[in-house]
Amino acid sequence: MIKAKYYIPKRQKHALAFKMVCVFLILIIIFILVDIAIRPVVKENAKYIVKNEVTIMINECVGDYISENNIVYNDLITVSLNDKKEVTTVETNTIAINKLKADITNAIANELKDSRGEKIRVSLGNLLDSYILDHIGIEFQVKLTDYGFIETDILSEFKSTGINQTLHRINLKIKVDVNINVGTLYQTETVETEILLTETVLVGNVPDMYIK
C-alpha cells in the first residue's frame, strides 16, 4: 500500500509561521495591557492589607506589654503638688519611658520578622468596573519582606474636662517602614499609629504644664 505524501508549499509555511508570530505577539500585548491595568489595583490592595496587618500587630504588642508589666500612670509620670494641693509640675520618668520604648520596639521587630503576609483577592470587577464580575478574581500572595527603622515617640496631651479638671493622656506614637512584594511588584509603605498608654484626671487648679 502506497501512502500519499502531502507537500505544503513554502508560501503556505511562511503564512502559517507569520500567523503564529502574530498570535504570539497579540498574546504578549494582551498580557502587558492586563499587567498594566492590574498593577495599580494590586498595589493598592497590598498597601491596605499590609498597613492593616502591621497596625493590628503593633496594637497587640503594646497591649500585651502594658498588660504583662501592669503599666499605670504613676509608673511613667510624677505629679508634684504644693501645700494647697495644687499641681505644680508634671514630670516623666525618663528611665521607665526609655525602657518601655526599647522593649516595645524589640517586640515589634520580632513580630515583623515572623510575619509571612497573607493572600488578598483582586476581582475582575475592580479592574473592569463591573458588578457582574465582582465575584470573579485572582489571588495574590502579599509578603512582608523587610522592615526599616522603627521610630517610637511619647506624646503628652492635656485636655480640660470640666471645672478644675484636666485629662492627661500619654500616647505612644509608632512609625515603621515596611517593604512588601506581590509577585514582581516591590514597594515600601509607612505604617504609623498612635496608641494610648495611660491617662488620668488631674483635679484642682492646673497651671501651664510641661513634660521634662
Side-chain angles (χ1 to χ4, degrees), residues 8 15 30 33 43 94 103 116 119 123 126 190 192 201:
I8 301 177
I30 292 175
L33 292 176
K43 290 180 69 175
T94 304
D103 290 345
R116 297 179 180 178
K119 288 184 178 181
S123 71
N126 289 337
T190 299
E192 189 171 346
V201 175

Side-chain angles (χ1 to χ4, degrees), residues 159-167 201-206:
K159 182 179 180 181
S160 176
T161 58
I163 300 175
N164 293 332
Q165 290 186 343
T166 302
L167 176 65
V201 175
L202 302 174
V203 180
N205 295 323
V206 181

Side-chain angles (χ1 to χ4, degrees), residues 48 50 189:
Y48 171 79
V50 170
E189 296 296 335

Side-chain angles (χ1 to χ4, degrees), residues 51-69 103-112 114-115 118 172 174 191 193-197:
K51 282 193 171 185
N52 185 61
E53 180 183 355
V54 174
T55 299
I56 292 174
M57 181 268 295
I58 290 174
N59 289 335
E60 290 178 348
C61 285
V62 176
D64 291 343
Y65 182 84
I66 293 175
S67 177
E68 292 171 4
N69 293 275
D103 290 345
I104 290 178
T105 298
N106 290 334
I108 293 173
N110 290 332
E111 286 294 326
L112 287 173
D114 296 334
S115 178
E118 61 182 87
L172 179 64
I174 300 173
V191 180
T193 185
E194 189 173 315
I195 305 170
L196 176 65
L197 291 178

Side-chain angles (χ1 to χ4, degrees), residues 53-157:
E53 180 183 355
V54 174
T55 299
I56 292 174
M57 181 268 295
I58 290 174
N59 289 335
E60 290 178 348
C61 285
V62 176
D64 291 343
Y65 182 84
I66 293 175
S67 177
E68 292 171 4
N69 293 275
N70 298 317
I71 301 296
V72 295
Y73 182 83
N74 292 334
D75 294 331
L76 306 177
I77 302 296
T78 300
V79 178
S80 299
L81 305 175
N82 59 20
D83 296 337
K84 298 179 181 180
K85 302 299 182 180
E86 295 174 336
V87 176
T88 56
T89 60
V90 178
E91 301 179 356
T92 57
N93 184 336
T94 304
I95 295 177
I97 289 290
N98 289 339
K99 184 179 185 304
L100 178 144
K101 291 169 63 176
D103 290 345
I104 290 178
T105 298
N106 290 334
I108 293 173
N110 290 332
E111 286 294 326
L112 287 173
K113 289 178 183 178
D114 296 334
S115 178
R116 297 179 180 178
E118 61 182 87
K119 288 184 178 181
I120 61 173
R121 180 175 174 275
V122 180
S123 71
L124 294 180
N126 289 337
L127 299 177
L128 304 177
D129 195 22
S130 171
Y131 292 104
I132 298 177
L133 300 176
D134 189 51
H135 299 292
I136 303 176
I138 310 171
E139 281 192 342
F140 296 88
Q141 183 70 33
V142 179
K143 295 182 180 180
L144 178 61
T145 59
D146 196 8
Y147 65 93
F149 180 72
I150 301 174
E151 181 181 346
T152 58
D153 192 19
I154 295 293
L155 304 179
S156 183
E157 178 186 359

